[in-house]
Structures are given as C-alpha cells and as structure tokens.
Amino acid sequence: MLTSLIAWLLIGAIAGWLASLIVKGRGLGLVNNILVGIVGAVIAGWLLPLIGFVFIGGILAAIVNAVIGAVLLLVIIGLVQQKTA
C-alpha cells in the first residue's frame, strides 16, 4: 500500500511537471505538480478509454496517460482563467 502511494506521488509529480512544461513552459512547484498529475491521471483514466485510446504497459504508460490528462486539465484551467480575467 505504501509503495502504491509512493508510485502515485512519483507518477503525479513527473506527469504534472511535464504537463506544466508543455502548457506553460515552467513548473508549478512540487505539490501542485503532484496534484495536477494525479488529477490528470484520473481524467485520462476516465476519458481515454471512452474514446478508444488506451495505453497498455507499465509505468511509462501510466506517465503518458497522466501527462495527457494533466495537459487537458491545465488547458481547461487556462481557458477558465482567461474568461474570468
């Protein structure tokens, strides 16, 4: 259980950091990267199978899925922030 939690945090940190580099060009900080990566993984885990896009594999597939979801999340957040500004 502890190793699963550590794996989720590590994947979330990597995915959030990569997504923040793709979308904004800078990091968001460790905690925010982890949160964005984990939420992105949940989004990708729900959305990608619905459209027939599923990676099968180990940790690399989990990171790719999480990055895709985190990029989507950051784009949506950016759009919402632009509309409210």
Side-chain angles (χ1 to χ4, degrees):
M1 169 124 170
L2 181 61
T3 56
S4 296
L5 178 63
I6 291 170
W8 268 91
L9 293 175
L10 182 61
I11 290 170
I14 292 169
W17 174 70
L18 287 172
S20 67
L21 290 178
I22 291 168
V23 175
K24 290 191 172 192
R26 61 182 175 83
L28 298 173
L30 181 62
V31 174
N32 286 335
N33 282 344
I34 291 171
L35 292 174
V36 167
I38 290 173
V39 173
V42 171
I43 290 170
W46 169 76
L47 183 63
L48 294 179
L50 288 177
I51 60 174
F53 191 74
V54 178
F55 287 110
I56 298 174
I59 195 157
L60 184 59
I63 291 171
V64 170
N65 275 339
V67 168
I68 292 170
V71 166
L72 288 171
L73 177 63
L74 289 175
V75 167
I76 291 168
I77 290 171
L79 292 172
V80 169
Q81 286 179 345
Q82 285 179 353
K83 287 185 179 185
T84 60

